[in-house]
């Protein structure tokens, strides 16, 4: 009987050790509005480097934010990652984040690419320039976003709808730079120059230029990079018929936006979450963004990919990303008044 009792004691102690080890296994949970293919590879690199497992849930930004709200203190999410400053601002308004105090992250991410309260930090940049057909447009005709309201562009412009957050952020920036009244006048004339009603995504606008539906378009470079390097021969051919023009180089610079990340208010794995953010803004990860996703590094001094280098250097608008969210409501109302659908 004594032997049996000792055996049971050993088994119980061993079981307790296993349970303790399992519960202490390092992990971090992310709700991500980025598609899995565009973020998972760098997360796997983080796990290989640190041993911290990353559990990834992807979906639409608004749906994930609503889920965070409904889960409240019971949410498993430690991090929320999304792809536009406007969406990050909505998360701040929803009280979804807690501040991150990391000198490493602060030194890597320029001040205008993070929230003023360090609730979120930019991870990568996507520029939103003008794309044009070199067969039908002389780049000397192009100047700025405002110049696309000129009569010479009548029936020649393709762009996504006003529901698109990228366009809302662009208009929010224009409001900040030029004021509401001037931007309203611009938007009305700009809309009158559309070659078609807004339809499709950024790739469709670039294809519109390639196939003669329009002569110029506004889209994110990130999509253009994927088209140029696509496995789809038709996408590559379309992209090769189009060129990039960097607008507003004599003024505020070309509009840029961020993908960004923040630690959720009710995160359980805060230390692991901080380590992941620090990894994502490291030179190693920032270089990966440029190579694999055709986005610009948010960190200075990181080498651009060959694709990005082909488009040349350009002056970026250094407006605070917070402003894009703060002006979003007025931007939407302004676009609606202009008939931008």
């Amino acid at each position: 009987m004594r032997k049996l009792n000792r055996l049971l004691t050993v088994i119980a102690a061993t079981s307790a050790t296993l349970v303790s080890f399992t519960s202490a296994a390092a992990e971090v949970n992310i709700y991500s509005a980025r598609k899995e293919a565009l973020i998972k590879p760098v997360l796997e690199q983080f796990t290989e480097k640190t041993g911290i497992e990353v559990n990834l849930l992807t979906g639409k930004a608004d749906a994930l934010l609503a889920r965070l709200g409904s889960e409240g203190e019971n949410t498993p999410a430690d991090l929320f990652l999304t792809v536009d400053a406007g969406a990050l601002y909505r998360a701040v308004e929803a009280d979804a984040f807690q501040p991150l105090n990391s000198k490493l992250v602060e030194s890597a991410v320029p001040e205008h690419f993070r929230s003023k309260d360090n609730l979120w930090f930019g991870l990568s940049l996507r520029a939103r320039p003008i794309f044009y057909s070199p067969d039908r447009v002389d780049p000397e005709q192009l100047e700025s976003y405002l110049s696309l309201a000129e009569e010479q562009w009548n029936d020649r412009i393709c762009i996504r709808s006003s529901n698109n957050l990228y366009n809302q952020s662009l208009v929010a920036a224009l409001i900040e730079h030029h004021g509401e009244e001037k931007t309203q006048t611009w938007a009305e004339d700009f809309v009158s120059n559309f070659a078609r009603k807004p339809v499709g995504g950024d790739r469709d606008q670039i294809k519109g230029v390639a196939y003669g539906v329009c002569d110029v378009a506004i889209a994110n470079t990130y999509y253009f990079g994927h088209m140029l390097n696509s496995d789809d021969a038709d996408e590559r051919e379309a992209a090769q018929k189009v060129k990039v023009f960097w607008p507003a180089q004599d003024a505020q610079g070309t509009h840029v936006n961020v993908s960004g990340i923040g630690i959720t208010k009710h995160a359980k794995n805060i230390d692991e979450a901080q380590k992941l953010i620090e990894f994502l803004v490291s030179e190693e990860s920032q270089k990966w963004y440029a190579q694999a996703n055709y986005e610009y590094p948010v960190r200075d001094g990181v080498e651009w990919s060959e694709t990005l280098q082909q488009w040349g250097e350009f002056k970026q608008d250094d407006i605070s990303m917070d402003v894009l969210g703060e002006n979003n409501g007025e931007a939407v109302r302004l676009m609606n008044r202009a008939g931008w659908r």
Side-chain angles (χ1 to χ4, degrees):
M1 180 62 108
R2 290 178 179 176
K3 289 183 178 179
L4 177 59
N5 288 338
R6 283 198 299 270
L7 178 61
L8 291 173
T9 300
V10 171
I11 291 173
T14 303
S15 298
T17 300
L18 289 173
V19 170
S20 176
F21 178 78
T22 301
S23 63
E27 66 175 7
V28 63
N29 304 306
I30 303 181
Y31 284 1
S32 172
R34 299 215 70 160
K35 294 180 180 179
E36 182 175 308
L38 301 180
I39 188 65
K40 191 173 182 180
V42 74
L43 299 180
E44 291 174 341
Q45 292 175 24
F46 172 73
T47 297
E48 289 178 11
K49 192 179 183 82
T50 65
I52 299 171
E53 291 294 330
V54 181
N55 303 310
L56 177 66
L57 175 69
T58 60
K60 297 292 185 181
D62 288 343
L64 292 174
L65 185 57
R67 179 168 177 162
L68 273 174
S70 64
E71 291 171 341
E73 295 182 5
N74 297 316
T75 184
D78 302 305
L79 293 161
F80 177 55
L81 188 159
T82 191
V83 292
D84 185 278
L88 290 161
Y89 181 81
R90 290 177 188 174
V92 171
E93 290 289 282
D95 195 24
F97 291 136
Q98 61 176 287
L100 167 62
N101 297 310
S102 168
K103 295 300 182 183
L104 191 156
V105 178
E106 289 180 29
S107 65
V109 181
E111 188 174 357
H112 57 289
F113 292 141
R114 61 180 192 256
S115 75
K116 56 191 173 186
D117 298 320
N118 284 354
L119 293 171
W120 60 261
F121 291 82
L123 297 179
S124 61
L125 301 179
R126 59 277 305 280
R128 197 160 183 77
I130 297 169
F131 293 87
Y132 69 97
S133 165
D135 295 332
R136 301 185 300 278
V137 175
D138 182 344
E140 293 295 324
Q141 298 174 274
L142 296 166
E143 181 182 351
S144 66
Y145 301 105
L146 296 185
S147 70
L148 292 180
E150 296 172 357
E151 189 175 349
Q152 66 170 318
W153 302 114
N154 187 38
D155 293 330
R156 300 177 71 186
I157 296 173
C158 286
I159 195 167
R160 291 173 76 162
S161 75
S162 59
N163 291 331
N164 175 246
L165 198 50
Y166 301 146
N167 284 338
Q168 292 172 12
S169 291
L170 170 61
V171 174
L174 293 177
I175 290 172
E176 188 68 17
H177 288 302
H178 305 292
E180 180 185 338
E181 183 176 349
K182 186 173 182 178
T183 306
Q184 181 72 60
T185 300
W186 166 81
E188 292 169 0
D189 292 337
F190 179 64
V191 169
S192 70
N193 286 341
F194 288 179
R196 63 181 180 191
K197 291 182 179 179
V199 61
D202 277 13
R203 285 182 176 88
D204 297 299
Q205 315 316 314
I206 294 169
K207 289 177 182 178
V209 175
Y211 299 138
V213 175
C214 48
D215 294 335
V216 297
I218 293 177
N220 283 353
T221 47
Y222 147 80
Y223 293 103
F224 189 49
H226 278 280
M227 290 177 70
L228 285 170
N229 295 279
S230 175
D231 292 332
D232 186 326
D234 291 336
E235 277 210 341
R236 291 198 308 274
E237 182 180 356
Q240 289 164 1
K241 294 179 179 179
V242 175
K243 290 190 177 297
V244 177
F245 178 84
W246 301 112
Q249 294 301 282
D250 294 330
Q252 72 271 12
T254 297
H255 175 70
V256 296
N257 209 323
V258 294
S259 71
I261 195 168
I263 299 178
T264 60
K265 183 176 182 179
H266 301 294
K268 312 300 188 299
N269 303 297
I270 295 176
D271 289 343
E272 290 79 5
Q274 177 172 330
K275 287 177 182 177
L276 179 52
I277 294 177
E278 290 174 345
F279 178 76
L280 291 174
V281 300
S282 68
E283 289 189 25
E284 176 185 356
S285 298
Q286 290 287 294
K287 189 172 183 178
W288 178 85
Y289 274 114
Q291 293 287 347
N293 282 347
Y294 312 108
E295 293 178 283
Y296 292 93
V298 73
R299 181 176 183 141
D300 291 334
V302 177
E303 183 181 3
W304 292 2
S305 68
E306 183 178 342
T307 296
L308 300 186
Q309 290 179 33
Q310 288 175 356
W311 304 333
E313 295 186 2
F314 64 100
K315 178 183 177 181
Q316 301 174 4
D317 186 357
D318 62 1
I319 191 173
S320 168
M321 294 290 104
D322 281 326
V323 170
L324 305 186
E326 292 165 1
N327 289 353
N328 179 267
E330 185 52 49
V332 172
R333 290 188 290 272
L334 185 153
M335 296 164 86
N336 288 339
R337 291 194 298 267
W340 187 333
R341 298 289 182 261

